[in-house]
Structures are given as structure tokens and as C-alpha cells.
Amino acid sequence: MAEDLSFDLGAPPEPYRVLARKYRPSDFTGLIGQEALVRTLSNAFASGRIAHAFMLTGVRGVGKTTTARIIARALNCIGPDGKRKDPTIHPCGVCDPCVTIAESRNMDVQEMDAASRTGIDDVREIIEGVRYAPASARYKVYIIDEVHMLSKQAFNGLLKTLEEPPPHVKFIFATTEIRKVPVTVLSRCQRFDLRRIDSAELAAYLAAIAEKENVKIEAGALALIARAAEGSARDALSLLDQAMAHGEGGDVIAAVTIRDMLGLADRGRVLDLFEKVMGGKIAEALTDLQGLYDSGADPLAVMQDLLEIAHFLTRVKVAPAAQGFFDGGSGEAKRAGELAGRLTVASLTRAWQMLLKGLFEVRDATRPILACEMALIRLAYAAELPPTDKLVRDVLDNVAPRPPASGTPQSRGGSSSSPSASAAPRLNPAPQPDGAPVLKGLEDIALLASANHAPVLKVHIENDIHLVKLEPGRLEFRPGPRAPRTLAGDLQQKLRDWTGARWSVSVTNEGGAPTLAEQKKNAKAARIESVMQAPLVRAVLDRFPGAEIIAVRDRDDAAPDSPPDSQD
């Protein structure tokens, strides 16, 4: 008798499904963070006002494709008994259309990846298919993912069908780049913007998933995963999957484990680093940075955390009750509030700009840690500088009169024996103890502007002001055609700052003396004309036809009133 050597090996083990697929929502009740979309669709289905085309947009992993499949099931669900005649916002999940759509094998619900099928020929297949009624479902649904990848010809070929599709056809588009979709397509669709999921809501969702998987994980670890996911449910589930494998063994998955896994830096240590950098303690800051790097922190992640701290502290300055990078009741939040009280908004905004520039340098550097160190060194030295507006104010308040150039003509009345007297300008711009300086003409105002380092305003004073009246505290002028509209207001403010007295500056449309530039030009022309009448000069001009006088200067002048390249 033959011996039976057969063995019962049992059913093969089911392949592992990642959490992002295992816990993909099958109806709108499982879709988190998209309350506005669910409310709008619920009302539309309840009232029968269902659009023929939907455009779903949002960042990666917020549920665009999942929402498209749920809508397809809601449109075609016939109920457990198979007697439902109308679409429902709550698909049963057990009827044949619900099951086949969930398993991506329903012939009336077709998914197309526009990233791999971008041409007009692919769209022609859709155009040809919409003419036929659905084989078994209530609606024929076309789901086109990454629709922005379609070519221009493909979009144009789809327009007419998308505008007036048959009543049995529905289009659902999904994209992460809504700006690349033509407006002509957007105007034919009902658009839904799926927002990023809030970190707290995402952490609570991860906690529920971990409980179902019988995984023990700290709340702080879940918060780190939610923050790293940046509002993406799929990214969060993928990171949770990785954390479960990283902490295999039944022990509680701690926050430090997640921090090591993600290459993140401890927030308290990053706050210490920021405080030392802003305090100018660069040697200690570099030591802390090296410690973070040695413990596995990514330099790019450190720069991002420093940027978030700068942003959080700035928000605390302008809105003390603001929440953000630190939890409201944590010790780090209290320390951050104290640090914000010691820093100014100007220094924080400057730190933000420098850290933002450093972030791109670290991202693109071949040695990110070196770029990170250089960015912190720059910030540490800049942190000790006062604000720019204070520097300018100090310079203006303490400006000293500049001596004239070596070639400036001296007074005709003789020279002074005192060097300081010969170097002093004609008008002291600073107010005197017994009153403001006396301004007798536009020349004095132009000299005042020059002494206070306002060259642009000096040019406008000389070229665009026709003086009508000048009295102590009052100036009236007619502006030239090229004068800026703000000239009167700027001049009034500057005169008040420079003289320490109140000034009223008004504008008129009539009258006014020639501008200083015109006066100078007229004086030069008159001088040349008078010189041309001299017999010797007349004889030279007659001897050389076409010759002209460019400039005139006295023999004892130190410099000519002509351009530097003119010859005597």
C-alpha cells in the first residue's frame, strides 16, 4: 500500500498592503480635512444639481484621486438590494458597482494617467467612447489624473465634449498644478480646492490608525510625523509605516526615534542655537550646530527649523497669543516668548531674510553643513548691527559740513587767515541755539540739501522750481514740467527736518522767477555775449570762422566754469 506523502501547506500569506492603501477612504465619512468639499457635494447630490465635470486640485496626498473614486461610486451606487435609482452621497460599498469601482475593474469608470497619455490620440479615444451608453453602471465616468500634463492639442480636442457631454457621462479631473490648466477647461468644470490637512487633525488620524494596528507610539512622535508630512495624509501614512518598521519589537515608538529617522533636530536645541546666533555667540552656536549634525540632523532641516523659529517669534511680537512652531503650554514656548521680548521686529525680519537666503545655499551646496555654518556666521555678525533706519538717522543727526573741493573758487573779498573759516560753507544747515537758519533764496535751500546729502532733491530745487515767494517758514513756487508730484511734500518735510522749524510749502500755476539752472545758464550766456564784444575777441572770431566761445573764466579763478575737458 502506497504511503500518502501529500502535505497541506495552507493558503499562501496575503501580501502586505501599505497603510496608505489599506486605509484609503471608501466614502466621504473617512475623508479628513475636506469639510467644504463634502458639504458642497452633499448638497449637490441631495438636490440633484450634480455637475457634469469636476476639477479637484491640491498638493500631493490630500485625497484628489481618492475623492474622484468616491464620487464615481456615489454616482453609480445601486444599494445593497440593487434598487436605488438615484446617486447618493453615501455609497453602500457592497453593491456590484461599488465593489468593482473600488477594485478598479468597472468598465464604465475609466481612469487615465495624463502624465503618460498626453496626446490628442488619447483624448480621441475618450471622445469616441462618450457616444456610447454605459454597459452596466448608471454613469460612464472618466477620471483623468494629473490633467495639467495634457498637451495643448489634447485640451483643445476635449473642449467641445467637455462643454456639452451626453447626460450619461461625467468627467472628474485631478491636478497638482491648477495654473497649468487652460482657463477654457476650468470654466467648464466645478472646481474644488482640497486644502492641506491641519497638523493636529492629521496627528489624531494617525493615532487612530496606530491603535487599529496595535502599535504604541508617543503623541510627540505622531506630532513630528504630522509636521513632516506638511498636510499630506499619504505622506503621513507612509512615514507612520516607516516608523512602525523602524520601531519593530513591541516597544513604544518614542519621539527621539522619529527624530532620528527623519533627520530632524530637537526643537529645544534649535531654539538654543537661534538664541546664541542672535546674541552674537557664534563659537558656541557652531558647537551646537556640530552637535546637531553629529546626532543625525540634516543641515537643511536645521535651516528650516530656524526659519520657522524666526517666523514664530515675529508672530509673537505682533500677536502675543499666536500659536505655531511651539506648543502653547510647552517650556520651549515660554522661552520663545521671553526671547521675542528681547528682540526687535527689525532684527527678526532681517534674520528671516538672511536665513531664507541661507536655506537655498544649503539646499544647493555640495557640503550642506559648510553652507549652514557660513549662513549662521553671517547672521551672528549682522545681529549686532542696529537697524538701518537708525543708522541713517544717526548719520543725518550728526553730519558734519563737508569742506569745499580744492578747486572751488574763494570769495572775491579776500581770504581769511583761519583755515577753518576758509573751509566753512556759506550756510550752516544745523539749527542754531537761538533759531533756525535764515534762508534768503533758492541758493540757500540748494546748499542746505547738498550739506544734508540729498542730491536728488538738490537737482529738483535747481531745475524744477520757479520761486514765487520765500519767507521765514513759507515757500511758494511754480513747478517745472518735469517736477515730481511729491516735490512740495518732500521739500516741506525736509525743510522741517533740516531747520527744526515748521514750513508751509505751496504750489502755484503762474509766475515765478527762472530756476537756478536757468539763471546760471542766462548768466553764462550774458557773460559770453559781453566777452564777444571785446575788440580782441571779435578779431579772433573773425579770423577763425565757425569758432565759438564755450566758457569764460577770470585769470585768477582757481577753476573754469566749463566742463573738465575744455581747453583754455
Side-chain angles (χ1 to χ4, degrees):
M1 182 174 175
E3 185 178 356
D4 186 7
L5 298 178
S6 61
F7 297 95
D8 184 11
L9 299 178
E14 293 185 5
Y16 177 72
R17 296 181 67 193
V18 296
L19 297 181
R21 294 184 59 190
K22 183 177 180 180
Y23 291 98
R24 170 171 275 174
S26 58
D27 54 31
F28 287 112
T29 59
L31 198 65
I32 62 171
Q34 311 301 337
E35 290 78 9
L37 177 145
V38 174
R39 182 171 58 253
T40 304
L41 288 178
S42 299
N43 295 336
F45 274 70
S47 62
R49 305 172 66 88
I50 305 174
H52 63 267
F54 301 91
M55 178 68 71
L56 307 176
T57 178
V59 298
R60 70 195 186 284
V62 292
K64 299 183 295 297
T65 306
T66 297
T67 302
R69 292 175 180 174
I70 295 175
I71 293 175
R73 296 173 67 183
L75 289 170
N76 291 307
C77 178
I78 59 175
D81 55 0
K83 296 182 180 180
R84 178 175 288 138
K85 302 298 182 182
D86 299 317
T88 175
I89 196 64
H90 301 294
C92 65
V94 297
C95 66
D96 183 70
C98 285
V99 173
T100 54
I101 292 173
E103 296 176 355
S104 299
R105 56 183 179 87
N106 190 299
M107 61 184 304
D108 292 320
V109 177
Q110 300 184 21
E111 291 190 34
M112 184 181 111
D113 179 21
S116 58
R117 303 180 64 185
T118 63
I120 182 64
D121 293 334
D122 302 307
V123 172
R124 283 199 185 103
E125 294 181 13
I126 297 177
I127 297 173
E128 291 295 326
V130 298
R131 297 187 300 172
Y132 303 102
S136 59
R138 185 181 295 116
Y139 290 100
K140 181 174 284 190
V141 181
Y142 291 92
I143 300 174
I144 303 180
D145 204 2
E146 301 300 336
V147 69
H148 66 275
M149 299 292 288
L150 289 178
S151 65
K152 182 178 179 181
Q153 292 78 10
F155 274 125
N156 291 335
L158 192 62
L159 284 180
K160 192 61 181 176
T161 302
L162 185 60
E163 184 174 12
E164 298 178 357
H168 60 267
V169 173
K170 301 291 183 182
F171 289 97
I172 306 176
F173 303 125
T175 177
T176 55
E177 300 284 348
I178 190 65
R179 295 184 179 181
K180 295 183 180 179
V181 179
V183 178
T184 50
V185 173
L186 290 176
S187 64
R188 291 166 167 82
C189 302
Q190 193 172 90
R191 173 176 168 177
F192 293 95
D193 290 83
L194 280 71
R195 66 179 183 87
R196 294 178 185 270
I197 305 172
D198 182 71
S199 295
E201 189 174 8
L202 192 54
Y205 176 68
L206 294 177
I209 298 296
E211 185 177 355
K212 293 178 181 178
E213 293 291 319
N214 296 319
V215 174
K216 299 178 181 179
I217 183 170
E218 292 181 356
L222 293 175
L224 286 175
I225 293 176
R227 183 165 66 95
E230 297 180 344
S232 169
R234 184 176 62 234
D235 289 5
L237 289 173
S238 298
L239 291 174
L240 180 60
D241 224 339
Q242 182 180 352
M244 290 164 56
H246 195 79
E248 196 70 39
D251 296 333
V252 178
I253 302 176
V256 65
T257 303
I258 303 300
R259 189 175 294 112
D260 293 339
M261 182 188 79
L262 299 177
L264 299 177
D266 180 72
R267 292 188 177 189
R269 296 177 66 184
V270 177
L271 181 61
D272 291 338
L273 177 62
F274 186 84
E275 185 174 7
K276 290 175 182 178
V277 170
M278 297 303 291
K281 303 175 181 178
I282 187 57
E284 298 179 17
L286 293 180
T287 301
D288 288 355
L289 176 62
Q290 188 63 42
L292 290 170
Y293 183 68
D294 292 340
S295 62
D298 183 9
L300 186 62
V302 173
M303 292 297 294
Q304 290 172 335
D305 283 350
L306 289 172
L307 269 170
E308 291 194 39
I309 288 177
H311 172 261
F312 176 76
L313 295 181
T314 307
R315 289 191 62 193
V316 170
K317 290 289 291 186
V318 299
Q323 300 291 327
F325 189 67
F326 296 105
D327 297 332
S330 65
E332 287 83 1
K334 183 178 180 180
R335 286 180 51 208
E338 295 173 353
L339 179 59
R342 299 196 301 267
L343 298 174
T344 64
V345 174
S347 63
L348 287 170
T349 53
R350 181 169 54 198
W352 169 267
Q353 293 293 335
M354 299 184 71
L355 287 171
L356 188 62
K357 183 176 184 297
L359 179 70
F360 296 120
E361 293 176 355
V362 173
R363 183 194 64 185
D364 299 333
T366 56
R367 295 283 305 278
I369 184 62
L370 302 184
C372 186
E373 288 182 352
M374 293 303 297
L376 295 186
I377 291 172
R378 287 199 307 268
L379 178 58
Y381 277 90
E384 298 178 346
L385 297 175
T388 306
D389 57 344
K390 184 178 185 302
L391 289 174
V392 174
R393 199 180 308 114
D394 291 344
V395 170
L396 293 178
D397 291 344
N398 302 308
V399 64
R402 290 193 289 182
S406 58
T408 303
Q410 302 297 322
S411 173
R412 302 282 183 201
S415 60
S416 170
S417 59
S418 169
S420 60
S422 63
R426 196 163 59 101
L427 177 69
N428 185 1
Q432 299 300 318
D434 55 346
V438 179
L439 304 179
K440 298 181 179 180
L442 280 181
E443 298 88 348
D444 294 341
I445 300 178
L447 181 61
L448 192 63
S450 178
N452 284 278
H453 313 301
V456 176
L457 185 58
K458 179 176 180 291
V459 170
H460 289 311
I461 292 172
E462 294 177 341
N463 294 274
D464 300 319
I465 290 182
H466 298 269
L467 183 62
V468 176
K469 183 180 295 185
L470 178 60
E471 299 174 350
R474 184 185 176 202
L475 171 63
E476 184 178 355
F477 69 92
R478 174 173 62 87
R482 294 183 298 179
R485 295 183 178 180
T486 60
L487 180 57
D490 294 343
L491 190 56
Q492 177 174 318
Q493 181 63 41
K494 293 299 183 183
L495 286 174
R496 182 182 304 174
D497 294 341
W498 295 338
T499 64
R502 288 185 173 274
W503 277 85
S504 172
V505 179
S506 57
V507 175
T508 182
N509 295 325
E510 298 179 354
T515 65
L516 293 180
E518 291 173 347
Q519 294 177 22
K520 185 176 180 180
K521 183 178 179 181
N522 295 338
K524 180 179 179 179
R527 194 174 187 192
I528 291 176
E529 182 65 28
S530 64
V531 169
M532 289 178 62
Q533 305 306 321
L536 181 59
V537 176
R538 187 76 264 169
V540 172
L541 294 177
D542 292 342
R543 181 69 179 79
F544 299 96
E548 61 180 5
I549 301 175
I550 299 177
V552 179
R553 69 184 180 92
D554 295 332
R555 189 181 299 275
D556 57 348
D557 276 351
D561 57 351
S562 59
D565 57 348
S566 62
Q567 302 295 324
D568 293 344

